[in-house]
Amino acid sequence: DNRHSYRDAFRQVASEMLSKYGRECSRMREIIRVKADFEPHGACARLTQLPEDEVLIPQHWMAQGYEDFEFWRQVQERRKLRYDPPWAREVDVSPSRVVVALLRLEAVKDLEECAELNQVYHASLSELFARGYVQYAKLCNQAFQDKLKHVALRCAVREGLNVEPPDKTVSHKKLKRVMEKCAEAQQELGRDLQWAGRSKEYAYYSHAFYILDAVRLSFTCKGRTTEEQV
């Protein structure tokens, strides 16, 4: 372990930086809250009135005849988003099809690596889905960020906003974090929640697809005052 000599110091520095970031975020939230109280019709007040989590599925996605419309109706009714990539829907819970999908996605190099995951590491079907999802996120990440930057630029020009994108590509979520989020989703939702067009067994193993920030992007809203930034 070549990090043994500085591991404790590194953890302490990381903890201090995270605490500093947390305090700064809390300070900004308090400024917004105070301004919202004093200016009930201002930008800060409007921001605090937004719902924390809102699901709005396009109406035509839920219209009979649209592909997977019953699923999208369930998403809207439950207000719980998930996204099942086409390759995952195709394989369902077939181990051989999962292997083929991982090879096509280049989530594994060859059949030997697939065998190693199965026979040496005893990777569950949940983990295999997660591995495919991480690779899928990696393949989509650059195009996703380019598209979001384009949308944000259009909005900024239209609304006269001072918005700054990140200066480099934000990395996709890695397998360790996706598996942690899978465990959280399993605890929150259980394993018996059924979805239209998805088998009971598939729903049992596919919690990775509730993790919608496998690709992610943020923007800096600039301005001289809090109101301008908000």
Side-chain angles (χ1 to χ4, degrees):
D1 183 0
N2 59 3
R3 299 181 181 177
H4 176 74
S5 61
Y6 63 85
R7 184 181 300 278
D8 290 341
F10 179 77
R11 284 178 173 172
Q12 181 178 351
V13 171
S15 178
E16 290 174 355
M17 293 298 293
L18 287 172
S19 296
K20 180 179 178 181
Y21 177 73
R23 290 193 298 272
E24 181 64 17
C25 289
S26 296
R27 185 185 69 83
M28 293 174 65
R29 288 176 65 91
E30 182 63 16
I31 290 173
I32 291 171
R33 186 193 66 79
V34 170
K35 287 184 174 293
D37 289 342
F38 280 95
E39 300 174 11
H41 300 293
C44 292
R46 293 196 298 272
L47 176 64
T48 59
Q49 291 166 5
L50 292 175
E52 292 185 359
D53 192 8
E54 188 171 14
V55 175
L56 294 173
I57 302 299
Q59 287 296 324
H60 71 278
W61 288 19
M62 298 184 285
Q64 188 166 355
Y66 188 83
E67 183 180 359
D68 221 10
F69 71 94
E70 291 179 326
F71 167 75
W72 292 117
R73 286 179 180 178
Q74 282 186 320
V75 170
Q76 184 63 71
E77 290 169 2
R78 294 171 175 174
R79 299 188 180 278
K80 185 63 184 177
L81 283 171
R82 64 175 282 150
Y83 173 69
D84 300 84
W87 61 266
R89 297 280 310 281
E90 290 171 1
V91 305
D92 195 49
V93 291
S94 167
S96 59
R97 290 181 179 178
V98 172
V99 168
V100 171
L102 293 180
L103 287 167
R104 286 177 174 172
L105 289 165
E106 298 184 353
V108 292
K109 296 193 299 287
D110 47 35
L111 288 174
E112 182 179 353
E113 186 174 349
C114 288
E116 184 179 35
L117 285 174
N118 182 37
Q119 299 174 11
V120 178
Y121 297 104
H122 305 289
S124 65
L125 190 55
S126 294
E127 180 181 332
L128 296 181
F129 273 133
R131 286 178 177 272
Y133 196 44
V134 168
Q135 179 65 8
Y136 188 70
K138 179 180 178 181
L139 294 172
C140 296
N141 194 32
Q142 187 62 57
F144 164 80
Q145 297 197 32
D146 290 344
K147 182 67 174 179
L148 262 290
K149 288 176 183 178
H150 181 67
V151 171
L153 178 60
R154 287 206 323 262
C155 292
V157 171
R158 186 183 66 213
E159 303 294 338
L161 306 176
N162 188 356
V163 176
E164 183 178 279
D167 57 3
K168 58 183 180 180
T169 301
V170 179
S171 179
H172 63 285
K173 266 189 170 60
K174 303 300 190 293
L175 179 64
K176 180 181 178 181
R177 184 55 181 152
V178 168
M179 291 304 296
E180 291 172 350
K181 299 279 281 185
C182 281
E184 293 172 7
Q186 290 167 5
Q187 185 174 7
E188 176 189 352
L189 302 169
R191 289 195 159 188
D192 298 323
L193 188 61
Q194 296 301 295
W195 294 94
R198 286 124 180 95
S199 69
K200 181 179 179 180
E201 294 78 13
Y202 174 85
Y204 185 90
Y205 290 110
S206 59
H207 285 70
F209 306 137
Y210 291 108
I211 305 168
L212 301 183
D213 61 344
V215 290
R216 58 271 172 94
L217 184 63
S218 62
F219 296 87
T220 302
C221 300
K222 307 180 76 174
R224 292 172 298 175
T225 65
T226 302
E227 287 81 358
E228 288 181 2
Q229 295 169 10
V230 169

